[in-house]
Amino acid sequence: MTKINDKSKYLHIDGVSINEIAVKLKTPFYIYSETTLSENYLKFKEAAIENKIINPLICFALKSNPNKKVVKSLAKLGAGADIVSGGELKRSLECGICPQKIVFSGVGKTEEEINLALKSHKNGIYSFNVESFEELELINKLAAKAKKTARVALRLNPQVQVKTHKHISTGFKTHKFGLLREDILKNLKQRKYWSHTSLVGLSIHIGSQLTCLKATDKAIKELCQLALETGKSFEFFDVGGGLGVDYERTKDKPSCFDYMKLVSNALEKYYYTRTNDRPRVVFEPGRVISATSGHFITKVIRTKTSGDCFFAIVDGGMNDFVRTSLYGAYHEIIPIKKSKRKVVSTDIVGPICETADCFGSGIMLPKLMANDIISVSDVGAYGHSMSSNYNMRDKPREFFISKKGKVSKC
Ligand code: LLP
Protein backbone atom coordinates (compact mmCIF):
# COMPACT_ATOMS: atom_id res chain seq x y z
CA MET A 1 0.00 0.00 0.00
CA THR A 2 1.23 3.50 -0.89
CA LYS A 3 0.63 6.34 1.53
CA ILE A 4 2.14 9.46 3.01
CA ASN A 5 3.09 8.69 6.60
CA ASP A 6 1.33 11.20 8.86
CA LYS A 7 4.27 11.55 11.24
CA SER A 8 7.27 11.70 8.92
CA LYS A 9 5.31 13.27 6.00
CA TYR A 10 7.18 10.95 3.62
CA LEU A 11 5.70 8.49 1.12
CA HIS A 12 5.74 4.89 2.32
CA ILE A 13 5.17 1.76 0.27
CA ASP A 14 4.19 -1.25 2.38
CA GLY A 15 5.57 0.57 5.40
CA VAL A 16 8.95 1.27 3.73
CA SER A 17 10.00 4.92 3.51
CA ILE A 18 10.89 5.75 -0.09
CA ASN A 19 12.97 8.69 1.09
CA GLU A 20 15.23 6.42 3.16
CA ILE A 21 15.78 4.16 0.16
CA ALA A 22 16.25 7.06 -2.25
CA VAL A 23 18.96 8.72 -0.18
CA LYS A 24 20.87 5.43 0.01
CA LEU A 25 20.34 4.30 -3.58
CA LYS A 26 21.09 6.22 -6.72
CA THR A 27 18.02 7.51 -8.55
CA PRO A 28 16.32 6.81 -10.89
CA PHE A 29 15.04 3.34 -10.03
CA TYR A 30 11.97 1.16 -10.11
CA ILE A 31 10.61 -0.38 -6.95
CA TYR A 32 8.00 -3.17 -6.84
CA SER A 33 5.70 -4.25 -4.04
CA GLU A 34 5.33 -8.02 -3.73
CA THR A 35 2.22 -7.49 -1.60
CA THR A 36 0.42 -5.53 -4.33
CA LEU A 37 1.57 -7.96 -7.00
CA SER A 38 0.16 -11.00 -5.18
CA GLU A 39 -3.03 -9.15 -4.23
CA ASN A 40 -3.59 -8.32 -7.90
CA TYR A 41 -2.96 -11.91 -8.98
CA LEU A 42 -5.23 -13.38 -6.32
CA LYS A 43 -7.97 -10.84 -7.02
CA PHE A 44 -7.91 -11.84 -10.69
CA LYS A 45 -7.99 -15.56 -9.89
CA GLU A 46 -10.69 -15.26 -7.22
CA ALA A 47 -12.86 -13.18 -9.58
CA ALA A 48 -12.68 -16.04 -12.10
CA ILE A 49 -13.68 -18.62 -9.52
CA GLU A 50 -16.47 -16.45 -8.11
CA ASN A 51 -17.87 -16.29 -11.64
CA LYS A 52 -17.88 -20.08 -11.96
CA ILE A 53 -14.83 -20.32 -14.19
CA ILE A 54 -13.50 -23.64 -12.98
CA ASN A 55 -9.75 -24.29 -12.86
CA PRO A 56 -8.68 -21.16 -14.78
CA LEU A 57 -5.13 -21.11 -16.09
CA ILE A 58 -3.69 -17.65 -15.50
CA CYS A 59 -0.67 -17.09 -17.70
CA PHE A 60 1.06 -13.86 -16.64
CA ALA A 61 2.15 -11.87 -19.72
CA LEU A 62 5.88 -11.63 -19.08
CA LYS A 63 6.28 -8.75 -21.52
CA SER A 64 4.65 -6.48 -18.95
CA ASN A 65 7.31 -7.26 -16.35
CA PRO A 66 9.86 -10.05 -16.71
CA ASN A 67 11.79 -9.14 -13.54
CA LYS A 68 13.04 -12.34 -11.87
CA LYS A 69 11.63 -11.58 -8.44
CA VAL A 70 8.29 -10.60 -9.92
CA VAL A 71 8.04 -13.77 -12.01
CA LYS A 72 9.24 -16.02 -9.16
CA SER A 73 6.72 -14.51 -6.81
CA LEU A 74 3.87 -15.16 -9.27
CA ALA A 75 5.17 -18.67 -10.02
CA LYS A 76 4.91 -19.44 -6.30
CA LEU A 77 1.23 -18.47 -6.42
CA GLY A 78 0.70 -20.95 -9.27
CA ALA A 79 0.77 -18.58 -12.25
CA GLY A 80 1.64 -19.75 -15.73
CA ALA A 81 3.25 -17.55 -18.38
CA ASP A 82 2.27 -15.95 -21.67
CA ILE A 83 5.53 -15.54 -23.58
CA VAL A 84 6.55 -14.06 -26.93
CA SER A 85 10.24 -14.89 -27.23
CA GLY A 86 12.94 -17.42 -26.38
CA GLY A 87 14.20 -14.98 -23.76
CA GLU A 88 10.82 -14.92 -22.00
CA LEU A 89 10.66 -18.72 -22.22
CA LYS A 90 14.05 -19.06 -20.52
CA ARG A 91 13.07 -16.49 -17.88
CA SER A 92 9.80 -18.33 -17.11
CA LEU A 93 11.54 -21.69 -16.74
CA GLU A 94 14.35 -20.25 -14.63
CA CYS A 95 11.75 -18.68 -12.31
CA GLY A 96 10.01 -22.00 -11.75
CA ILE A 97 7.05 -21.80 -14.13
CA CYS A 98 6.14 -25.25 -15.33
CA PRO A 99 6.26 -25.67 -19.16
CA GLN A 100 2.79 -27.12 -19.02
CA LYS A 101 1.56 -23.68 -17.93
CA ILE A 102 3.24 -21.74 -20.75
CA VAL A 103 1.52 -20.35 -23.84
CA PHE A 104 3.68 -18.96 -26.62
CA SER A 105 2.11 -16.13 -28.67
CA GLY A 106 3.61 -13.85 -31.33
CA VAL A 107 3.72 -13.60 -35.11
CA GLY A 108 7.46 -14.06 -35.50
CA LYS A 109 8.45 -17.24 -33.62
CA THR A 110 11.79 -18.40 -35.03
CA GLU A 111 12.99 -21.96 -35.62
CA GLU A 112 15.33 -21.66 -32.66
CA GLU A 113 12.56 -20.46 -30.35
CA ILE A 114 10.14 -23.17 -31.47
CA ASN A 115 12.80 -25.85 -30.86
CA LEU A 116 13.54 -24.44 -27.42
CA ALA A 117 9.85 -24.62 -26.52
CA LEU A 118 9.46 -28.15 -27.93
CA LYS A 119 12.41 -29.32 -25.85
CA SER A 120 11.43 -27.62 -22.61
CA HIS A 121 9.45 -30.68 -21.42
CA LYS A 122 8.64 -34.14 -22.73
CA ASN A 123 5.25 -32.80 -23.82
CA GLY A 124 6.65 -29.40 -24.86
CA ILE A 125 4.77 -26.31 -23.65
CA TYR A 126 1.04 -26.02 -22.94
CA SER A 127 0.38 -24.30 -26.26
CA PHE A 128 1.89 -22.61 -29.27
CA ASN A 129 -0.68 -19.93 -30.04
CA VAL A 130 -0.33 -19.98 -33.80
CA GLU A 131 -0.67 -16.75 -35.78
CA SER A 132 -0.25 -18.00 -39.38
CA PHE A 133 -0.39 -21.25 -41.33
CA GLU A 134 3.20 -20.67 -42.43
CA GLU A 135 4.12 -20.78 -38.72
CA LEU A 136 2.02 -23.92 -38.16
CA GLU A 137 3.79 -25.67 -41.05
CA LEU A 138 7.15 -24.92 -39.43
CA ILE A 139 6.01 -26.08 -35.97
CA ASN A 140 4.73 -29.31 -37.54
CA LYS A 141 8.05 -29.85 -39.34
CA LEU A 142 10.18 -29.15 -36.25
CA ALA A 143 7.96 -31.32 -34.04
CA ALA A 144 8.35 -34.19 -36.54
CA LYS A 145 12.14 -33.78 -36.42
CA ALA A 146 12.05 -33.80 -32.61
CA LYS A 147 9.70 -36.84 -32.70
CA LYS A 148 7.08 -34.96 -30.71
CA THR A 149 3.54 -33.76 -31.09
CA ALA A 150 3.26 -30.00 -30.53
CA ARG A 151 0.18 -28.74 -28.71
CA VAL A 152 -1.25 -25.81 -30.64
CA ALA A 153 -4.07 -23.29 -30.43
CA LEU A 154 -5.14 -21.20 -33.39
CA ARG A 155 -5.34 -17.51 -32.62
CA LEU A 156 -8.45 -16.11 -34.21
CA ASN A 157 -8.45 -12.55 -35.46
CA PRO A 158 -12.07 -11.78 -34.51
CA GLN A 159 -12.16 -8.53 -36.49
CA VAL A 160 -13.32 -6.32 -33.67
CA GLN A 161 -12.39 -2.72 -33.01
CA VAL A 162 -11.48 -1.82 -29.46
CA LYS A 163 -11.38 1.50 -27.69
CA THR A 164 -7.74 1.88 -26.82
CA HIS A 165 -4.58 3.48 -28.19
CA LYS A 166 -4.15 2.42 -31.82
CA HIS A 167 -0.66 1.06 -31.15
CA ILE A 168 -2.00 -1.56 -28.75
CA SER A 169 -5.15 -2.65 -30.55
CA THR A 170 -4.67 -6.12 -32.07
CA GLY A 171 -7.97 -7.71 -33.09
CA PHE A 172 -8.92 -6.02 -36.36
CA LYS A 173 -8.48 -7.48 -39.84
CA THR A 174 -5.79 -4.98 -40.83
CA HIS A 175 -3.64 -6.01 -37.85
CA LYS A 176 -0.85 -8.55 -38.24
CA PHE A 177 -2.20 -10.79 -35.45
CA GLY A 178 -4.20 -13.99 -35.61
CA LEU A 179 -5.98 -15.90 -38.35
CA LEU A 180 -9.20 -15.09 -40.12
CA ARG A 181 -12.14 -17.41 -39.48
CA GLU A 182 -12.46 -18.45 -43.12
CA ASP A 183 -8.76 -19.34 -43.35
CA ILE A 184 -9.00 -21.48 -40.21
CA LEU A 185 -12.01 -23.39 -41.54
CA LYS A 186 -10.33 -23.86 -44.92
CA ASN A 187 -7.05 -25.21 -43.53
CA LEU A 188 -8.29 -27.46 -40.74
CA LYS A 189 -8.21 -30.51 -42.97
CA GLN A 190 -4.88 -29.79 -44.70
CA ARG A 191 -2.78 -32.77 -43.65
CA LYS A 192 0.55 -30.98 -44.06
CA TYR A 193 -0.16 -28.99 -40.89
CA TRP A 194 -1.37 -31.68 -38.59
CA SER A 195 0.88 -34.79 -38.67
CA HIS A 196 2.87 -33.72 -35.59
CA THR A 197 0.62 -31.10 -34.06
CA SER A 198 -2.48 -31.48 -32.01
CA LEU A 199 -5.16 -28.77 -32.05
CA VAL A 200 -5.99 -28.37 -28.37
CA GLY A 201 -7.34 -24.82 -28.21
CA LEU A 202 -8.47 -21.59 -29.77
CA SER A 203 -7.24 -18.19 -28.65
CA ILE A 204 -7.90 -14.47 -29.02
CA HIS A 205 -6.24 -11.29 -27.78
CA ILE A 206 -7.80 -8.08 -29.05
CA GLY A 207 -5.71 -5.39 -27.39
CA SER A 208 -4.37 -3.88 -24.22
CA GLN A 209 -5.61 -1.29 -21.68
CA LEU A 210 -9.22 -2.24 -22.49
CA THR A 211 -11.62 -0.17 -20.42
CA CYS A 212 -14.79 -1.03 -22.33
CA LEU A 213 -15.73 -4.70 -22.54
CA LYS A 214 -18.14 -4.63 -25.50
CA ALA A 215 -15.50 -5.77 -27.97
CA THR A 216 -14.42 -8.55 -25.59
CA ASP A 217 -17.97 -9.93 -25.62
CA LYS A 218 -18.04 -9.78 -29.41
CA ALA A 219 -14.65 -11.46 -29.74
CA ILE A 220 -15.67 -14.32 -27.41
CA LYS A 221 -18.82 -14.73 -29.47
CA GLU A 222 -16.70 -15.06 -32.63
CA LEU A 223 -14.43 -17.58 -30.88
CA CYS A 224 -17.38 -19.71 -29.74
CA GLN A 225 -19.07 -19.62 -33.14
CA LEU A 226 -15.86 -20.72 -34.79
CA ALA A 227 -15.41 -23.54 -32.29
CA LEU A 228 -18.93 -24.78 -33.01
CA GLU A 229 -18.38 -24.54 -36.75
CA THR A 230 -15.28 -26.73 -36.58
CA GLY A 231 -17.31 -29.51 -34.99
CA LYS A 232 -14.33 -30.29 -32.76
CA SER A 233 -14.07 -30.31 -29.00
CA PHE A 234 -11.35 -28.22 -27.40
CA GLU A 235 -9.25 -28.63 -24.27
CA PHE A 236 -9.14 -24.87 -23.74
CA PHE A 237 -10.19 -21.42 -24.91
CA ASP A 238 -7.56 -18.74 -24.35
CA VAL A 239 -9.30 -15.38 -24.03
CA GLY A 240 -6.03 -13.39 -23.97
CA GLY A 241 -5.15 -10.47 -21.75
CA GLY A 242 -5.89 -6.78 -22.03
CA LEU A 243 -7.94 -5.74 -19.01
CA GLY A 244 -7.18 -2.07 -18.35
CA VAL A 245 -5.97 -0.27 -15.24
CA ASP A 246 -7.53 2.83 -13.70
CA TYR A 247 -4.44 5.04 -14.11
CA GLU A 248 -6.56 8.21 -13.80
CA ARG A 249 -8.30 6.98 -10.61
CA THR A 250 -11.72 7.78 -12.05
CA LYS A 251 -13.13 4.57 -10.53
CA ASP A 252 -15.27 4.00 -13.64
CA LYS A 253 -13.19 1.22 -15.22
CA PRO A 254 -14.30 -2.43 -15.28
CA SER A 255 -12.93 -4.42 -12.35
CA CYS A 256 -11.57 -7.97 -12.46
CA PHE A 257 -14.99 -9.09 -11.24
CA ASP A 258 -16.82 -7.22 -14.06
CA TYR A 259 -14.43 -8.73 -16.57
CA MET A 260 -14.82 -12.30 -15.32
CA LYS A 261 -18.58 -11.92 -15.18
CA LEU A 262 -18.57 -10.85 -18.81
CA VAL A 263 -16.29 -13.74 -19.88
CA SER A 264 -18.38 -16.25 -17.97
CA ASN A 265 -21.70 -14.93 -19.31
CA ALA A 266 -20.37 -14.83 -22.86
CA LEU A 267 -19.19 -18.45 -22.70
CA GLU A 268 -22.53 -19.49 -21.25
CA LYS A 269 -24.53 -17.62 -23.88
CA TYR A 270 -22.48 -18.43 -26.98
CA TYR A 271 -21.13 -21.90 -26.14
CA TYR A 272 -22.38 -23.83 -23.11
CA THR A 273 -26.01 -23.55 -24.22
CA ARG A 274 -25.09 -25.20 -27.53
CA THR A 275 -22.70 -28.00 -26.59
CA ASN A 276 -21.63 -30.17 -23.68
CA ASP A 277 -18.00 -29.31 -24.34
CA ARG A 278 -16.49 -27.42 -21.36
CA PRO A 279 -13.01 -26.19 -22.32
CA ARG A 280 -10.71 -24.85 -19.62
CA VAL A 281 -10.41 -21.05 -19.73
CA VAL A 282 -6.92 -19.60 -20.14
CA PHE A 283 -6.14 -15.92 -19.42
CA GLU A 284 -3.07 -13.89 -20.37
CA PRO A 285 -3.17 -10.83 -18.10
CA GLY A 286 -0.12 -8.61 -17.81
CA ARG A 287 -0.93 -5.02 -16.88
CA VAL A 288 -3.73 -5.75 -14.44
CA ILE A 289 -1.35 -7.91 -12.39
CA SER A 290 1.85 -5.87 -12.50
CA ALA A 291 1.04 -2.18 -13.17
CA THR A 292 0.04 -0.97 -9.71
CA SER A 293 2.86 -2.89 -8.03
CA GLY A 294 5.56 -0.62 -9.51
CA HIS A 295 6.81 2.90 -8.79
CA PHE A 296 9.48 4.86 -10.64
CA ILE A 297 11.54 7.03 -8.31
CA THR A 298 13.36 9.97 -9.80
CA LYS A 299 15.06 13.11 -8.47
CA VAL A 300 14.79 16.72 -9.60
CA ILE A 301 18.16 17.82 -11.03
CA ARG A 302 17.10 21.42 -11.34
CA THR A 303 14.08 23.55 -12.14
CA LYS A 304 13.75 26.03 -14.96
CA THR A 305 11.27 28.79 -15.66
CA SER A 306 10.75 29.72 -19.28
CA GLY A 307 8.05 32.28 -20.01
CA ASP A 308 4.86 30.82 -18.56
CA CYS A 309 6.34 27.34 -18.23
CA PHE A 310 7.80 25.86 -15.08
CA PHE A 311 9.89 22.75 -15.69
CA ALA A 312 11.16 20.27 -13.13
CA ILE A 313 14.01 18.47 -14.87
CA VAL A 314 14.38 15.01 -13.35
CA ASP A 315 17.14 12.40 -13.62
CA GLY A 316 14.79 9.80 -15.15
CA GLY A 317 14.08 9.98 -18.86
CA MET A 318 11.97 8.44 -21.59
CA ASN A 319 14.62 5.75 -21.97
CA ASP A 320 13.73 4.62 -18.42
CA PHE A 321 9.97 4.93 -18.76
CA VAL A 322 8.46 5.53 -22.18
CA ARG A 323 4.68 5.15 -21.75
CA THR A 324 3.95 8.85 -21.27
CA SER A 325 6.06 9.81 -24.31
CA LEU A 326 5.01 6.96 -26.59
CA TYR A 327 1.29 6.68 -25.87
CA GLY A 328 0.58 10.01 -24.16
CA ALA A 329 -0.33 7.85 -21.16
CA TYR A 330 -1.25 9.37 -17.81
CA HIS A 331 0.63 8.28 -14.68
CA GLU A 332 0.03 9.96 -11.36
CA ILE A 333 3.06 11.83 -10.03
CA ILE A 334 3.54 12.09 -6.27
CA PRO A 335 6.30 14.13 -4.57
CA ILE A 336 7.61 11.76 -1.91
CA LYS A 337 7.50 14.45 0.79
CA LYS A 338 4.33 16.24 1.76
CA SER A 339 4.90 19.98 1.54
CA LYS A 340 3.14 23.25 2.19
CA ARG A 341 4.79 25.02 -0.75
CA LYS A 342 2.62 26.95 -3.20
CA VAL A 343 0.94 24.70 -5.78
CA VAL A 344 2.01 25.54 -9.35
CA SER A 345 1.51 24.12 -12.83
CA THR A 346 4.56 21.95 -13.53
CA ASP A 347 6.00 20.08 -16.51
CA ILE A 348 8.01 17.06 -15.36
CA VAL A 349 10.65 16.49 -18.03
CA GLY A 350 13.74 14.31 -18.38
CA PRO A 351 17.25 14.97 -19.69
CA ILE A 352 16.75 13.28 -23.10
CA CYS A 353 17.02 15.44 -26.21
CA GLU A 354 13.42 15.04 -27.32
CA THR A 355 10.41 17.17 -26.49
CA ALA A 356 8.44 13.96 -25.93
CA ASP A 357 10.68 13.24 -22.92
CA CYS A 358 7.99 14.26 -20.46
CA PHE A 359 6.26 12.42 -17.62
CA GLY A 360 3.44 14.90 -17.31
CA SER A 361 2.71 18.49 -18.26
CA GLY A 362 0.65 21.15 -16.54
CA ILE A 363 0.46 19.06 -13.37
CA MET A 364 -0.52 20.97 -10.26
CA LEU A 365 2.16 20.24 -7.66
CA PRO A 366 3.71 22.02 -4.66
CA LYS A 367 6.59 23.94 -6.25
CA LEU A 368 9.44 21.47 -6.76
CA MET A 369 13.09 22.29 -6.07
CA ALA A 370 16.44 20.65 -6.93
CA ASN A 371 16.95 17.34 -5.07
CA ASP A 372 13.26 16.80 -4.40
CA ILE A 373 12.23 13.24 -5.16
CA ILE A 374 9.06 12.19 -6.96
CA SER A 375 7.35 8.90 -7.62
CA VAL A 376 5.70 8.06 -10.96
CA SER A 377 2.85 5.66 -10.13
CA ASP A 378 1.57 2.41 -11.65
CA VAL A 379 4.66 1.69 -13.72
CA GLY A 380 5.02 -2.02 -12.91
CA ALA A 381 3.70 -2.95 -16.36
CA TYR A 382 5.54 -1.94 -19.53
CA GLY A 383 7.89 0.21 -17.47
CA HIS A 384 11.32 -1.34 -17.07
CA SER A 385 10.47 -3.94 -19.73
CA MET A 386 10.36 -1.17 -22.35
CA SER A 387 13.38 0.76 -21.08
CA SER A 388 16.43 1.28 -23.28
CA ASN A 389 19.93 2.71 -23.33
CA TYR A 390 18.90 5.63 -25.55
CA ASN A 391 21.31 8.57 -25.26
CA MET A 392 23.83 5.99 -23.89
CA ARG A 393 22.16 6.11 -20.51
CA ASP A 394 22.30 3.20 -18.10
CA LYS A 395 19.07 1.26 -17.69
CA PRO A 396 17.36 2.06 -14.38
CA ARG A 397 17.88 -0.42 -11.55
CA GLU A 398 15.05 -2.35 -9.96
CA PHE A 399 14.27 -3.06 -6.30
CA PHE A 400 11.72 -5.32 -4.70
CA ILE A 401 9.88 -4.99 -1.39
CA SER A 402 9.12 -8.51 -0.17
CA LYS A 403 5.95 -9.36 1.71
CA LYS A 404 8.03 -9.12 4.88
CA GLY A 405 9.04 -5.54 4.03
CA LYS A 406 12.63 -6.40 3.06
CA VAL A 407 14.06 -4.32 0.20
CA SER A 408 16.43 -6.06 -2.20
CA LYS A 409 17.99 -5.38 -5.58
CA CYS A 410 16.65 -7.40 -8.44
N1 LLP B 1 -1.41 -11.63 -24.66
C1 LLP B 1 -0.91 -11.16 -25.81
C2 LLP B 1 -0.92 -12.04 -26.99
C3 LLP B 1 -0.42 -9.85 -25.89
O1 LLP B 1 0.07 -9.39 -27.04
C4 LLP B 1 -0.44 -9.04 -24.73
C5 LLP B 1 0.07 -7.67 -24.77
C6 LLP B 1 -0.96 -9.58 -23.54
C7 LLP B 1 -1.45 -10.89 -23.54
C8 LLP B 1 -1.02 -8.81 -22.24
O2 LLP B 1 -1.83 -7.70 -22.33
P1 LLP B 1 -2.16 -6.84 -21.01
O3 LLP B 1 -3.02 -7.72 -20.10
O4 LLP B 1 -0.89 -6.49 -20.35
O5 LLP B 1 -2.89 -5.68 -21.52
N2 LLP B 1 3.44 -1.49 -24.27
C9 LLP B 1 2.01 -1.27 -24.24
C10 LLP B 1 1.23 -2.56 -24.10
C11 LLP B 1 1.55 -3.59 -25.16
C12 LLP B 1 0.75 -4.85 -25.02
C13 LLP B 1 1.27 -5.89 -25.93
N3 LLP B 1 0.58 -7.13 -25.82
C14 LLP B 1 1.69 -0.29 -23.11
O6 LLP B 1 2.59 0.14 -22.41
O7 LLP B 1 0.53 0.07 -22.94
Side-chain angles (χ1 to χ4, degrees):
M1 199 179 56
T2 312
K3 79 176 232 213
I4 300 275
N5 181 289
D6 289 339
K7 254 196 201 159
S8 70
K9 311 279 183 241
Y10 280 109
L11 183 78
H12 282 60
I13 300 171
D14 300 345
V16 174
S17 163
I18 295 306
N19 185 53
E20 276 174 32
I21 305 177
V23 290
K24 270 191 240 146
L25 309 170
K26 205 171 150 302
T27 51
F29 59 85
Y30 281 86
I31 189 156
Y32 308 118
S33 153
E34 185 180 25
T35 303
T36 306
L37 189 70
S38 356
E39 277 172 8
N40 291 344
Y41 175 81
L42 294 172
K43 206 188 286 168
F44 193 83
K45 185 172 173 187
E46 278 152 21
I49 292 164
E50 282 167 41
N51 282 288
K52 301 192 183 64
I53 297 175
I54 300 155
N55 194 23
L57 176 58
I58 298 166
C59 295
F60 174 60
L62 249 79
K63 62 174 82 64
S64 75
N65 192 330
N67 180 282
K68 279 189 200 164
K69 290 206 167 141
V70 166
V71 180
K72 274 188 190 161
S73 167
L74 293 170
K76 271 195 221 141
L77 297 174
D82 163 52
I83 58 157
V84 287
S85 70
E88 288 187 355
L89 173 60
K90 287 184 200 155
R91 177 57 57 88
S92 310
L93 298 174
E94 134 193 51
C95 292
I97 294 185
C98 147
Q100 284 302 299
K101 288 185 180 176
I102 296 179
V103 297
F104 193 171
S105 314
V107 294
K109 302 176 190 81
T110 65
E111 222 175 284
E112 200 184 336
E113 290 172 326
I114 295 168
N115 277 328
L116 202 64
L118 284 170
K119 287 170 189 159
S120 64
H121 181 267
K122 67 177 180 2
N123 300 325
I125 52 170
Y126 189 68
S127 175
F128 287 94
N129 288 358
V130 170
E131 311 242 11
S132 66
F133 282 97
E134 291 81 350
E135 177 194 328
L136 183 59
E137 196 170 353
L138 178 63
I139 296 175
N140 192 51
K141 190 178 105 189
L142 298 175
K145 251 197 202 160
K147 299 196 171 51
K148 298 202 171 200
T149 302
R151 293 167 54 83
V152 304
L154 297 177
R155 174 170 172 182
L156 169 70
N157 180 325
Q159 305 194 45
V160 293
Q161 256 169 331
V162 295
K163 277 192 199 147
T164 188
H165 194 284
K166 69 175 174 125
H167 291 171
I168 54 176
S169 160
T170 53
F172 197 56
K173 61 179 170 199
T174 51
H175 299 147
K176 66 180 173 180
F177 301 99
L179 297 154
L180 298 179
R181 176 189 151 272
E182 54 270 28
D183 293 331
I184 293 181
L185 292 170
K186 195 170 76 198
N187 286 307
L188 270 182
K189 290 201 178 91
Q190 290 266 359
R191 288 179 61 191
K192 64 176 175 180
Y193 299 126
W194 303 108
S195 65
H196 289 79
T197 55
S198 148
L199 179 60
V200 285
L202 290 177
S203 79
I204 46 170
H205 173 75
I206 58 172
S208 195
Q209 183 55 13
L210 307 178
T211 53
C212 165
L213 300 178
K214 266 197 189 146
T216 306
D217 179 77
K218 190 152 181 270
I220 295 177
K221 182 177 179 188
E222 293 293 323
L223 176 105
C224 294
Q225 277 176 351
L226 172 68
L228 293 168
E229 272 178 274
T230 65
K232 291 181 178 295
S233 81
F234 293 93
E235 229 180 86
F236 68 89
F237 285 166
D238 179 343
V239 296
L243 180 60
V245 160
D246 189 12
Y247 291 113
E248 298 86 2
R249 318 239 188 282
T250 50
K251 297 199 165 70
D252 58 355
K253 311 281 183 330
S255 65
C256 288
F257 189 89
D258 299 332
Y259 171 73
M260 291 299 176
K261 192 169 168 194
L262 179 123
V263 171
S264 175
N265 287 346
L267 290 172
E268 177 71 36
K269 190 154 117 205
Y270 307 124
Y271 203 65
Y272 302 159
T273 48
R274 296 170 198 191
T275 163
N276 290 327
D277 198 22
R278 291 290 177 273
R280 184 179 194 190
V281 188
V282 178
F283 298 91
E284 303 172 358
R287 188 189 311 269
V288 75
I289 308 286
S290 54
T292 57
S293 75
H295 309 261
F296 180 62
I297 310 298
T298 178
K299 186 155 79 183
V300 178
I301 300 173
R302 68 181 62 86
T303 59
K304 168 174 173 174
T305 304
S306 181
D308 289 340
C309 299
F310 175 67
F311 296 103
I313 303 159
V314 295
D315 57 5
M318 65 189 278
N319 71 299
D320 302 307
F321 182 66
V322 77
R323 294 200 77 255
T324 47
S325 317
L326 187 58
Y327 311 113
Y330 171 82
H331 286 262
E332 187 181 31
I333 290 173
I334 310 174
I336 69 156
K337 184 169 197 243
K338 202 170 174 181
S339 105
K340 290 191 177 133
R341 291 180 211 151
K342 189 175 166 221
V343 171
V344 294
S345 167
T346 311
D347 287 8
I348 309 276
V349 297
I352 306 267
C353 299
E354 296 208 25
T355 303
D357 182 27
C358 176
F359 294 130
S361 70
I363 306 175
M364 299 309 288
L365 290 176
K367 193 160 187 178
L368 289 167
M369 290 167 39
N371 296 319
D372 282 346
I373 295 168
I374 60 167
S375 164
V376 184
S377 311
D378 308 323
V379 297
Y382 309 106
H384 194 275
S385 65
M386 291 180 79
S387 66
S388 74
N389 296 107
Y390 187 40
N391 279 202
M392 281 197 77
R393 285 164 54 85
D394 288 339
K395 279 200 175 197
R397 289 164 315 148
E398 295 168 287
F399 295 90
F400 190 75
I401 310 176
S402 74
K403 281 185 195 157
K404 290 185 180 149
K406 199 171 157 265
V407 180
S408 56
K409 192 166 183 299
C410 54

